[in-house]
Structure formats: structure tokens, C-alpha cells
């Protein structure tokens, strides 16, 4: 079991009723899909807000960053960077800078 | 003591405005869901404490919020609006086939008799129903799967199902309206549907009298006369007296018959209200004068209502779901603008006053009378 740190954008923290980082215990290889599945399992209200309900794909204005890298377009089953899997660095869910 | 609650959905959150029966002094609560687009929120006629709100953004998609205490607290409910089966295609702006894709909920229509039953109108056009207070949603596929749907095209604002009317007299009868497809009627609780656009004439489509393709902006009904419907089309104000089997134009002496919102007086089924907008290319009032027009004859003859409304340099719009009426003895009329004002008239439109002046752009207004 690994403790992964996840940082959500403000609107999603409000929906999930959390402040600060979220810590998720995940088992097995730590991938984008595994982290997001665990996140949605713990906070069902987030279903559909990060990944499209119908396609399961990342929503267009959501980005995933970690370790100063943009992981948004990585395949969902790609292993996340080691510092994320070790809990040293957070996995960032970011609302893209775009209008509004 | 009787109270009035006005629910305003805006580009950046929801606001709950409350007053006593005089409707002179108002309490303003909000923003709820600050930063989110609230296309519509509406209360259950069966339980005034039960409210539903459609919350969305381009970033985070669609949520539905429910309140059981009149808007004091809210909880997210279900947001799985999945089209059933292979969603098929409609026409895109360029005339090519485009797969149905869920974007947002434009309108929520609670059942008059059951607070847990509510209908939702979607973009891309689809009708959903919940019977468990919004926890789960089921598409009523008969609308999207009828023959004409493959030829529907979006209006400029998207291919949205924006109007849902539940006929209080005829069991199982419902009406919907879609931009830019037209009006549709079901007589079996939404299971099967047919277009009801005979009499509509739209110069912007290849066959102006086509069965579908009309950009209907909004439709209203007075509950005491469900055979009569009033429609603000892209251009033209229309009425039907046969349950939408046929329509006739009642634009009469309006300065322009383009507009979005239309309302019906709560106690006078032949008294109707529109807000004329200059044109499809200029979405603001003619001459910079914000005027509500009232007809006491069900159309054709209209009078401008200007007292208390800005009569110079006003260039706001009033969107399709942004007009409502209350049911107090002296009927209240409400509308919201893209400039962030919500106006009230406590005397059937004779005089107006702003409840609030500086909200984000108002998308929807719904009035409730509270016991």
C-alpha cells in the first residue's frame, strides 16, 4: 500500500469538502488511472469532474502535473514518477488557465 | 406570513432572493456555487423546501445540486447523464453528422406532485428523468430516437433542450422545445414524441415551413388552459390553442418580434409578457430602452411597460429562462438581465424596481410563493 498525495483545484476541494492535500492509499502500480479511481472512490462527487463520464478521458481543461512535468497526455496506465509513488511529491490536478 | 423566493442562476453562481408579499425589501443570499455557471434552478411545487440546481463549468463538467431546506444547504446528487445505447448523430453547423455528446443541463423541471421526480433538459438535446430526488437519471430515449432527430442542428448557443412543460390537465402529456429543432409533444409520459411545429415559419432554414429546424427560444403555458401555449421563437411570437397541433403568429405591434423570454400572468391566462430584442445579430433592446411588452389579449396587441426600467443606454439581454411570475393575488413578474439586474414588478408589470443590480450575467429566474 502506497500513500499518494493529491492536490486538487479549489473548486474540486470545495466539492469534496476538503482543505489542503488529499492522501490516498493505493495498492499495486501507481498510475494516473489508479490514483483517479481511488480519488473518485473516496469522493464520489468528483466523478465526471476530472474525467468525462461517457468516455473516461481527461476533461479538456484539466491538466495533470507532477515533479514539474506535464503528465496530462501520458497514457492513463503509465507509472507515475517515483517521487509521487513514494509520497515525496504530490500529483497535481489543475484547472487549465483559460478564460472565465 | 406569505413570502416570495426568487432563484437566480448566473454565469458565476446562484442567488436566492427572498421578500415578503409586498416585494419591496429583499434579502440576498449567495453566491452559492460561486464561480460555476448555474443555468437553472427551480423549486418543487410539491415541497417548497426542495430545490434543484444545474451547476456546470467547461473545466469540471456537470453537477446537480439539491437542497431540502429552501437553499440554506445543498448537496450534490447524481450527474451521470448517459445517453442510452449508441447515441447516433445529428447535424453539425457545417451539415456533417456529429455524434451526440453530453455538454450540460439547461433546464430542470420538478414534478408538480412528487418532489423526488424531476426532469432535466440536456445539451446535446436529450430528456432525462429522475424519480429518486436526482440521485440517478434515466434518459427518455423516445425524443432523441424519433425520425427527425438525425436532421437536428444546433442553434448558436448549442443544441439544447431548454423548455419542459408538464401538462397539469392531460395525464401523460408533456412538451419540450429544442434549439434549433422546434417543439415536441408526448402523450405517454415522455416515452414517445412527435414534432409539433405546424404554423411556424423560419426564413433562416431551407424550407421555412419545415416540420423541424425551427429555433424555438421558449414556450410557456398557463396551467388553467393547457391547450394554449405561447412561444417566443428566434423571430416571431406565436400561440397555439390546440395543444401545439398548430401555431399562429401574434407578434402584432411589437417593435421587434425577436427575443428569448416569454411569460404568462398567473391569474390572467390571456395576459402575456415578452422583452423585445433588436435582432438576432444585436442582442439588446431597441433604442437602448429596456421595455417589457404586455398583451392582455393573448397577443397581437401589445403595450410597452417602462416605469422603473432604464430608458436610455441600456444594452442588456434577457435570456430564455430569465423570466418568471409568482402566484400572489397581485401577480409579480420577474426578469433577469445579462447585465446582472433582477427586476420585479409587484403590480402585473405596471411598475418595476431592481431587486439587485450587479450580479453576474443572469441565466435564469424562477419565483416561488412560500406558505
Amino acid at each position: 500500500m502506497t500513500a499518494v498525495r493529491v492536490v486538487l483545484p479549489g473548486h474540486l476541494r470545495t466539492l469534496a469538502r476538503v482543505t489542503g492535500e488529499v492522501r490516498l492509499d493505493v495498492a499495486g502500480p501507481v498510475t494516473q488511472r489508479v490514483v483517479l479511481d481511488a480519488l473518485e472512490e473516496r469522493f464520489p462527487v468528483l466523478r465526471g469532474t476530472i474525467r468525462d463520464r461517457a468516455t473516461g478521458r481527461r476533461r479538456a481543461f484539466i491538466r495533470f502535473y507532477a515533479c514539474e512535468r506535464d503528465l496530462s497526455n501520458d497514457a492513463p496506465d503509465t507509472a507515475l514518477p517515483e517521487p509521487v509513488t513514494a509520497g515525496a511529491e504530490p500529483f497535481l490536478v489543475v484547472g487549465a488557465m483559460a478564460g472565465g | 406570513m406569505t413570502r416570495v423566493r426568487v432563484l437566480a442562476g448566473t454565469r458565476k453562481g446562484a442567488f436566492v432572493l427572498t421578500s415578503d408579499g409586498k416585494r419591496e425589501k429583499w434579502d440576498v443570499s449567495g453566491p452559492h456555487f460561486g464561480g460555476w455557471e448555474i443555468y437553472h434552478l427551480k423549486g418543487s411545487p410539491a415541497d417548497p423546501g426542495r430545490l434543484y440546481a444545474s451547476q456546470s463549468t467547461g473545466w469540471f463538467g456537470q453537477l446537480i445540486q439539491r437542497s431540502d431546506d429552501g437553499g440554506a444547504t445543498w448537496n450534490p446528487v447524481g450527474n451521470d447523464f448517459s445517453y442510452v445505447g449508441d447515441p447516433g448523430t445529428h447535424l453539425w453547423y457545417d451539415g456533417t453528422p456529429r455524434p451526440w455528446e453530453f455538454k450540460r443541463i439547461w433546464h430542470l423541471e420538478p414534478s408538480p406532485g412528487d418532489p423526488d421526480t424531476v426532469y432535466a433538459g440536456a445539451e446535446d438535446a436529450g430528456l432525462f428523468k429522475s424519480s429518486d430526488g436526482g440521485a440517478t437519471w434515466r434518459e427518455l430515449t423516445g425524443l432523441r430516437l424519433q425520425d427527425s432527430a438525425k436532421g437536428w442542428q444546433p442553434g448558436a448557443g448549442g443544441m439544447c433542450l431548454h423548455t419542459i412543460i408538464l401538462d397539469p390537465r392531460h395525464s401523460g402529456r408533456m412538451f419540450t422545445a429544442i434549439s434549433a429543432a422546434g417543439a415536441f409533444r408526448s402523450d405517454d409520459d415522455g416515452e414517445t414524441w412527435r414534432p409539433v411545429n405546424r404554423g411556424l415559419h423560419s426564413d433562416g432554414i431551407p424550407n421555412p415551413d419545415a416540420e423541424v429546424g425551427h429555433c424555438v427560444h421558449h414556450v410557456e403555458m398557463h396551467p388553467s388552459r393547457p391547450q394554449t401555449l405561447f412561444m417566443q421563437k428566434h423571430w416571431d411570437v406565436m400561440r397555439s390553442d390546440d395543444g401545439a397541433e398548430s401555431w399562429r403568429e401574434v407578434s402584432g405591434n411589437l417593435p421587434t418580434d425577436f427575443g428569448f423570454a416569454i411569460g404568462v400572468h398567473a391569474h390572467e391566462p390571456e395576459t402575456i409578457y415578452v422583452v423585445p430584442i433588436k435582432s438576432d445579430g444585436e442582442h439588446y433592446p431597441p433604442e437602448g430602452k429596456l421595455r417589457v411588452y404586455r398583451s392582455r389579449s393573448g397577443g397581437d396587441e401589445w403595450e410597452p411597460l417602462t416605469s422603473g426600467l432604464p430608458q436610455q443606454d441600456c444594452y442588456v439581454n434577457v435570456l430564455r429562462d430569465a423570466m418568471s411570475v409568482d402566484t400572489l393575488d397581485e401577480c409579480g413578474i420577474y426578469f433577469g438581465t445579462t447585465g446582472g439586474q433582477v427586476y420585479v414588478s409587484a403590480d402585473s408589470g405596471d411598475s418595476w424596481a431592481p431587486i439587485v443590480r450587479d450580479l453576474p450575467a443572469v441565466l435564469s429566474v424562477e419565483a416561488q410563493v412560500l406558505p
Side-chain angles (χ1 to χ4, degrees), chain B residues 39-40 42 104-109 120-127 143 155 157-165 175-184 214-220 231-234 260 319-322 363-364 366:
Chain B
Y39 266 60
H40 193 221
K42 191 163 186 178
R104 60 178 61 81
I105 294 298
W106 279 65
H107 185 94
L108 292 162
E109 190 63 36
E123 175 191 357
D124 287 336
L127 181 63
L143 181 62
M159 199 174 78
C160 51
L161 194 163
H162 51 70
T163 297
I164 303 169
I165 298 174
F175 300 90
T176 59
I178 295 167
S179 291
F184 298 84
H214 302 276
C215 194
V216 175
H217 282 179
H218 196 60
V219 184
E220 285 284 343
M231 172 192 293
Q232 173 68 66
K233 194 162 66 64
H234 194 76
F260 292 92
L319 299 177
R320 68 189 79 224
D321 242 345
L363 303 176
S364 65
E366 293 287 352

Side-chain angles (χ1 to χ4, degrees), chain A residues 9 11-12 15 17 44-45 47-50 52-54 59-62 94-100, chain B residues 12 33-36 55 57-63 65 74-76 78-82 101-103:
Chain A
H11 282 310
L12 298 190
L15 278 178
R17 295 177 179 169
V45 70
R47 288 181 180 144
T49 64
I50 298 170
D52 183 85
R53 275 274 194 185
R59 292 186 55 79
F61 291 165
I62 295 286
V94 178
M97 286 187 282
Chain B
K12 294 294 176 187
F33 328 116
W36 293 73
Q55 171 189 9
T57 68
W59 286 270
F60 307 117
Q62 178 72 51
L63 289 104
Q65 296 274 355
W74 296 84
N75 285 294
N79 66 344
D80 188 359
F81 293 95
S82 297
E101 180 185 5
F102 177 82
K103 297 186 178 66

Side-chain angles (χ1 to χ4, degrees), chain B residues 256-274:
Chain B
T256 159
D257 58 17
F258 187 90
F260 292 92
I262 190 165
V264 185
H265 191 286
H267 313 303
E268 302 171 14
E270 290 292 312
T271 297
I272 57 178
Y273 302 83
V274 295

Side-chain angles (χ1 to χ4, degrees), chain B residues 8-15 31 35-36 336-342 356-363:
Chain B
T10 81
R11 287 269 179 226
K12 294 294 176 187
F15 295 82
W36 293 73
T337 77
T338 55
Q341 300 87 32
V342 177
V356 283
R357 289 182 180 275
D358 299 302
L359 298 186
V362 176
L363 303 176

Side-chain angles (χ1 to χ4, degrees), chain B residues 5 43-44 46-51 66-73 368 370:
Chain B
R5 179 191 295 142
S44 162
D47 175 0
R50 170 66 62 85
L51 310 180
R66 190 180 99 191
S67 175
D68 295 327
D69 54 13
T73 61
Q368 288 180 285
L370 307 176

